[in-house]
Amino acid sequence: MEPQLLRRVVDSVATVVIHQPAKRNAMTVAMWRALPRVLEDLAADPGVRALVLTGEGGTFCAGADISTLRETAEEAQELAVRAEEALAAFPKPTLAAVRGHCVGGGAQLAAACDLRFAEETALFGVTPAKLGVVYAASATRRLVALTGPATAKYLLFSGELIDAARALRTGLVDEVLPEGELDKRVAEFTRVLASRSLLTQAAAKEFANGRTDRDAHWTAQARRSGDTAEGVAAFLERRQPRFGWNGATYGSTSG
């Protein structure tokens, strides 16, 4: 099978799989270029309420496929930044499910997700110093926001790998699971995400990412959606809420 991004949607959760197992799921130029289009399609699907990014088999992503960069390194870096920004801007909750190596561009993609769950044997590295690449400002700021400046500098200056335990301590990952339990935990947690108010999640994501000009927009969305009334009624009636807001029905989550 050619290197590609595979996608599926099951029970309101979209999964995008980085598929190039022969090269530890390294991202080709074509894959970097394709990711924003895949994300755009899934963002527009009202049936999708959360997204999981993972790699085929036992590796998340070993970074960029260096064999495709010799003549197009600058273009590939621009495409990687564009893909990362598209992932960070995805209007629904995103989770990176990490096994094995999560290195270079793979770490860049994982950092652009809202949450990161990893197997205890996972390894993380940010490796532009090994290639003489200037890491993008947006990616650097995102890494610093997750780990703090000291750990970000350690990773960027050295290119050394850290284990999942250290990644958890420094904030690079949110949960570490025993080997063999990652899929079960991701499925369990994304079911929780899909059951919650997407209105709350979309607004919280924008605010947490630093946007400060949309208070009135989200107040209007909440008023029109009826999600608050439904949530209160469900609580009082001791039942699961049926939240109706999905972005597409009541207006775009961007703007």
Side-chain angles (χ1 to χ4, degrees), residues 28 51 64 130 132 139 193:
T28 65
L51 180 141
K130 291 185 175 182
L193 294 180

Side-chain angles (χ1 to χ4, degrees), residues 38 46 57 65 82 91 107 109 114 127 170 199 211 218 221 234 246 255:
V38 170
D65 185 343
R82 207 173 302 158
L109 290 174
D114 297 314
T127 54
T170 58
L199 171 69
R211 189 152 184 179
W218 288 112
Q221 291 289 304
N246 62 19

Side-chain angles (χ1 to χ4, degrees), residues 27 52 73 93 97 100 131 135 139 141 144 151 165 186 206 226 252:
M27 292 282 288
V52 175
L131 297 172
Y135 205 52
R141 287 192 294 268
V144 169
T151 297
V186 168
E206 279 200 357
S252 172

Side-chain angles (χ1 to χ4, degrees), residues 86-102:
L87 183 57
F90 192 78
K92 304 167 188 183
T94 57
L95 188 154
V98 180
R99 292 183 188 80
H101 283 70
C102 178

Side-chain angles (χ1 to χ4, degrees), residues 1 12 20 40 46 57 72 74 94 107 112 117 132 143 146 193 205 207-208 223 225:
M1 186 180 291
S12 300
Q20 194 186 186
E40 184 178 4
T72 59
E74 186 173 337
T94 57
F117 289 7
L143 183 63
L146 288 174
L193 294 180
K205 182 166 182 170
F207 296 155
R223 186 181 302 118
S225 71

Side-chain angles (χ1 to χ4, degrees), residues 131-156:
L131 297 172
V133 171
V134 175
Y135 205 52
S138 59
T140 301
R141 287 192 294 268
R142 189 167 288 116
L143 183 63
V144 169
L146 288 174
T147 69
T151 297
K153 289 175 183 177
Y154 176 92
L155 293 168
L156 283 163

Side-chain angles (χ1 to χ4, degrees), residues 7 12-13 21 25 51-52 63 67 81 88 90 100-101 104 117 122 139 152 161 179 187 205 213 222 234 244 251:
R7 55 177 161 171
S12 300
V13 177
N25 299 323
L51 180 141
V52 175
S67 68
V81 170
F90 192 78
H101 283 70
F117 289 7
L161 302 184
E179 194 168 0
K205 182 166 182 170
D213 62 342

